[in-house]
Amino acid sequence: MTDLRGKTLAGTFFHAPVLGTIEVLKDALVEIDEAGRIAAVTRLGDPHHEGARSFASRAGTLVTLPEGSYVIPGFVDLHIHAPQYPQLGKALHVPLEIWLRHTFPLEARYADVAFARRAYETLVADLLANGTTTALYFATIHQEATRLLVDICLEKGQRALVGKVAMDNPQECPDDYRDASTEAGLEGTRSLLEYVRAHPANESGLVHPVVTPRFVPSCTDAMLEGLGAIARESGCHVQTHGSESDWEHGYVLARHGVTDAECLDRFGLLTRRSILAHANLITADDMARIAARGSGVAHCPLSNAYFSNAVFPLRAALAKGIRVGLGTDISGGPSASMLDACRMAVVTSRMLESGVDPALPPETRGRPSSRIDIRDAFHLATAAGGDALDLPIGRFAPGYCFDAVLVDTAAPNGMIRLFDEVDDPEDVLAKIVYTASRANLAEIWVAGRRVAGAG
């Protein structure tokens, strides 16, 4: 299989448009238009199913999935530090404020465009091969390298949101890695916004610009105020960190007397199109504020285990109506796989519920009603991520982009083991999410175009 634009794909599809529920579209027909959007989904048993299949077959547009293959939505990664890919797996033994001393010198190297190209091309290719069809990227302060990341995403066909990082606070940013001035940082953000929107290869809007204050500690109040104005004037997405660790959370409280969420809100940076990474230490008032603004949270369970000093209260946030998706947080999270993010989301939720200190009695050891299961994690990694970004992705429904992954459960080098006698359809999806390896991801499509795959 290659390009599916203008085709009708016949097979079994899994998606999770609603939290806690897996929808199995067995022997369904998904019609994809020339723009790569889903024109129709015809289920088995629909009176038009046989006619639609016959019509596509006669027209030569019918594509049938191989035996043992299934289609799932492409993954939506809500938090990636693109320049940090070369240090994946490094310096995970130190706290966040020390770890930044490792990453700032690396990010400063992106003044070298040749180095940037090598790193970014490798990153985007690897993410696509892992089924990440949409990525929300922090870049660096460098205009040329950040534009290059935009170009590479467009060349390779990844749906992406790219932000030039803004950081001008001399007290928290190194001399050799920060914006030359507040105005230079703001102008760089405006310039990237214009570059993305006017890019001749971006007529379909595959790549979006993002207002990106690194986090409150790295920005002066003037920078935060200016970025809020840009976000308001442009209507574009916003990404930053929020209440990630004790150090970062405490810094904002000491400087502003309020939490990250309230601080960002005061500067106009908490909008329907904002994504706060981590948010482990948000309060009940923060949750209400974030939900009221319609903002989203990028839950990064793997990196949180290393740097956040706490487990994100996922169930509580969802109960408050907060839009939550998953992120890898490369390179604070040492895996480029959203499957790993799904698995860790389930694990950390169970640890929060049961508690981790064996010296405490079971009834006081954890936080009740905190666990999620693999159905919830799959929803967060797909449909919920699309909803948080306000983009038509993450599910199989008319009007949505056909961003999808073909999973070959019989791939010779894969790790999925099915037993027809005991596995029902939801078991198949659970095994895909829990046990699939990169070798099982046979085809990856963005807007109906094949962009990667092991097959």
Side-chain angles (χ1 to χ4, degrees), residues 37 55 86 88-89 131-132 144 149 152 154 160 193 195 198 224 236 249 261 283 309 347 358 367 372 379 389 418 429:
R37 290 192 178 238
F55 178 83
L88 199 72
T132 298
E144 190 173 359
L149 178 57
I152 291 169
L154 289 168
L193 190 157
Y195 179 80
L224 294 170
C236 65
H249 182 70
T283 65
N309 315 121
V347 170
R367 184 169 179 167
I372 65 168
H379 168 77
L389 292 173
L418 299 182
L429 178 65

Side-chain angles (χ1 to χ4, degrees), residues 377-439:
F378 181 64
H379 168 77
L380 295 177
T382 54
D387 183 46
L389 292 173
D390 203 21
L391 294 176
I393 54 176
R395 62 189 74 188
F396 299 120
Y400 279 72
C401 300
F402 190 77
D403 295 2
V405 178
L406 175 66
V407 181
D408 178 6
T409 62
N413 295 318
M415 293 300 296
I416 302 171
R417 301 292 180 261
L418 299 182
F419 295 84
D420 294 340
E421 305 93 326
V422 296
D423 291 332
D424 64 25
E426 284 204 20
D427 293 332
V428 173
L429 178 65
K431 287 190 172 183
I432 287 172
V433 180
Y434 273 130
T435 68
S437 65
R438 184 160 154 173

Side-chain angles (χ1 to χ4, degrees), residues 141 164 167-170 174-175 177-186 223:
I141 64 172
K164 175 222 163 294
M167 41 191 292
D168 69 330
N169 183 1
D175 292 340
Y177 186 58
R178 67 172 185 262
D179 288 308
S181 66
T182 300
E183 186 49 48
L186 296 174
M223 177 70 85

Side-chain angles (χ1 to χ4, degrees), residues 46-69:
D46 185 300
H48 303 291
H49 185 277
E50 185 176 346
R53 186 181 182 101
S54 296
F55 178 83
S57 180
R58 291 195 303 272
T61 59
L62 182 67
V63 178
T64 303
L65 292 183
E67 186 71 24
S69 294

